[in-house]
Amino acid sequence: MKDRKNLSENGLPTEQTAETENVLATEQTAETENVLATEQTAETIDDLHGENLTERVKVLSPGMTVLKRFFRSKLSVIGLVTLIFLFLFSFAGPLFSPWRADGGTTKDYAAENIKSSYDHVSIAYTVDGEEYTALAVSVSTPSYNILGDINGDHWMGTDASGYDVFTRLMYGGRVSLTIGFVVVILETVLGVLLGGLAGYFGKWVDQLIMRIVDVLSCIPSLPIMLILSALFDSWGLGDSIAKLYYMMVVLTFMGWTGVARLVRGQILSLREQEFMLAAKCAGLSTSRKIFKHLLPNIIPQLIVSMTLGLGSIILTEATLGYLGIGAPLDTATWGNMINLASNETYRQYYANLWLGSGICITLAILAFNFVGDGLRDAFDPKMKR
Amino acid sequence: MVKYIIKRLLLSLFILLGVSLIIYILIRMMPLSYFETQFLPQLNSGVMTQEEFNRILALYGLDDNSFFGILKGYWGWLTAFVQGDFGTSFQYGEKVEVIIRDNMGISFGISFVSLLLEIVIAIPLGIKCACNQYGKIDYTATVLCMVGMAFPTFFLGNLMIKWFAVDLGWFETGGLVSAALPKDAGALTRFFDMLWHLVLPIFVMVVLSIGGLMRYTRTNTLEVLNADYIRTARAKGLSERKVIYKHVFRNTMIPLVTQLSFTLPTLFGGAMITETVFGIPGIGQIAYNALKVGDIPLAMSYNMFIAMLTVVGILLADIMYAVVDPRVKLVG
């Protein structure tokens, strides 16, 4: 009932939804032994039998328990392996590719790979009452391979600018996979700071911060991104990748609200617990109480929300790319590559240009979600089976 | 209860005020306002002088782009908005409320059908999964749901268009009317033709959002299954069927009803990306175009519409919570 009251006060009950939704059991076999219990039993049995049982009973640190539980879950391991694969693909992959996304060998001039394109115009004319149609066929042969077929040199063909799609996919991953870290770290810092202030000090500080959170979380994000893109273009940022980073930074100013709610909710309940009373009795300073005693207790939730956040940022970048309002279109990012799917010709006849990036985006989001869920279950002491 | 609702409504007004101020300032900062794009050729060719152009801007209150000018513009917009004058769209020359009303129908139809399908599939599936926790069904459904949730809308949408609309030719996409439809087709034929266009968008929307609801149902059912009263129900010898459908199901519905209140914005506000991908002339696509060209009255009204729906959805969720669960008392 108390929780309920907090909810009604801050107006937005998403905390509750987020938390309850979370307990998905992707884990197949959770660690059954409780660390503390193991220790205690070991000691008591030691006393009883006079022999050193601690040597035979392995005591796991809490961190190790979490790791062990994490790796017991098949889905989280699949997610982790997928992520490692995607990162290797993006960062080590280009080293083995003869092509480059910019600078170096970007275009393929080998004659056997160059495909001529045909275009025709039909002209209808009438002679002596009979209708004729003449076809004017024009053949254009580019000097390098564009929109080439899939072959041994180009595993996914080449795009309209002559770039090797497979290599571009690797370079795209570098941007798409890493941009999330910038956003998530900024969001978490802001969210912990403001949510922590609101939760710890309460009263008007809480009121002020939570009202700002309410306002910010009611702003629809997609329209704001469209506006920001136009704004940044007018400031001359439109033709460098910096625009994408600036947009993401601005997005964090709207995205920290989720973290702030999470942190505030946790701190509100932790604040009332005995160990905080003990900390108070010990005469600890406020900053020590916050940083040494409160924050470490919410780190599990933060790690989970950060992992899931990384997945959602990949989706955001892809959406920006698809709408053509992210990084400049010649920059290799997964979002920019899937942008080609909006062109009817490319969608139908050159699926090799965008299918790969779509699969990569989906895989990355899925993997981050698997890992996030696995971590949440691993951190949750109630998850026993 | 009444006191609580009044307090919350006042708070919502404050939130909407904040939201509108932020959005208005951002929209006004957009570089090429609608008129600048519209009249640039005339300006450059000398058909229109700068003074004439400025007069047009002044007519719409867009001439002063200093901070105070924008604030003044905001005040003007706000007073009109409060009095029920939402402005006239620059692009269409029609009242904004007329445009929103005319285009909301199709968006609402799509979202409503998707939501219904979602509920019909996700809730029984979630309960089924929870009852067979860690079983085969549970695993398969969970993994499939997570895959569905990971798909970006535009990727799945374009994939569907390529495979099912073009390659296989099963469905029509792009707009709502087939090019091949005869002009004298009856109302029923037209209706079925439209439905044919909506199969893929609805499918995409269901696939993308079913996972969230299913997992939410599953989690809540698991929680209910562990409750003491379920043990009691079993202990007094009720059949498993009765336990599940009478005791578990009803208690699972409590959080679900609140969860469904949050879908209010998506239900009425249209799906911007889905509509853009499938070329459906719904409110989402209209708003997307309005934002692209800087149609301030339409863009502002749409954003406010969404913000209002969000606020109302949250309030509704809290009230529904108290309505379906008599243990909850709303304290004002």
Side-chain angles (χ1 to χ4, degrees), chain A residues 171-193:
Chain A
Y171 280 99
R174 291 187 173 185
V175 177
S176 300
L177 285 172
T178 46
I179 197 158
F181 288 94
V182 183
V183 180
V184 165
I185 289 170
L186 276 176
E187 266 180 14
T188 310
V189 169
L190 257 178
V192 168
L193 199 70

Side-chain angles (χ1 to χ4, degrees), chain A residues 126-143:
Chain A
T126 335
V127 178
D128 300 337
E130 284 202 44
E131 280 189 16
Y132 295 91
T133 317
L135 283 181
V137 179
S138 60
V139 182
S140 60
T141 310
S143 59

Side-chain angles (χ1 to χ4, degrees), chain A residues 80-151:
Chain A
L80 195 64
V81 170
T82 315
L83 279 184
I84 293 173
F85 168 75
L86 283 173
F87 272 92
L88 279 181
F89 175 72
S90 309
F91 285 89
L95 304 177
F96 302 98
S97 166
W99 312 107
R100 292 287 165 265
D102 45 51
T105 336
T106 52
K107 296 178 170 77
D108 181 9
Y109 292 94
E112 72 269 20
N113 284 339
I114 296 176
K115 208 170 55 170
S116 300
S117 62
Y118 301 91
D119 204 3
H120 69 270
V121 191
S122 53
I123 307 151
Y125 60 98
T126 335
V127 178
D128 300 337
E130 284 202 44
E131 280 189 16
Y132 295 91
T133 317
L135 283 181
V137 179
S138 60
V139 182
S140 60
T141 310
S143 59
Y144 49 86
N145 178 358
I146 60 166
L147 292 174
D149 296 327
I150 296 173
N151 58 30

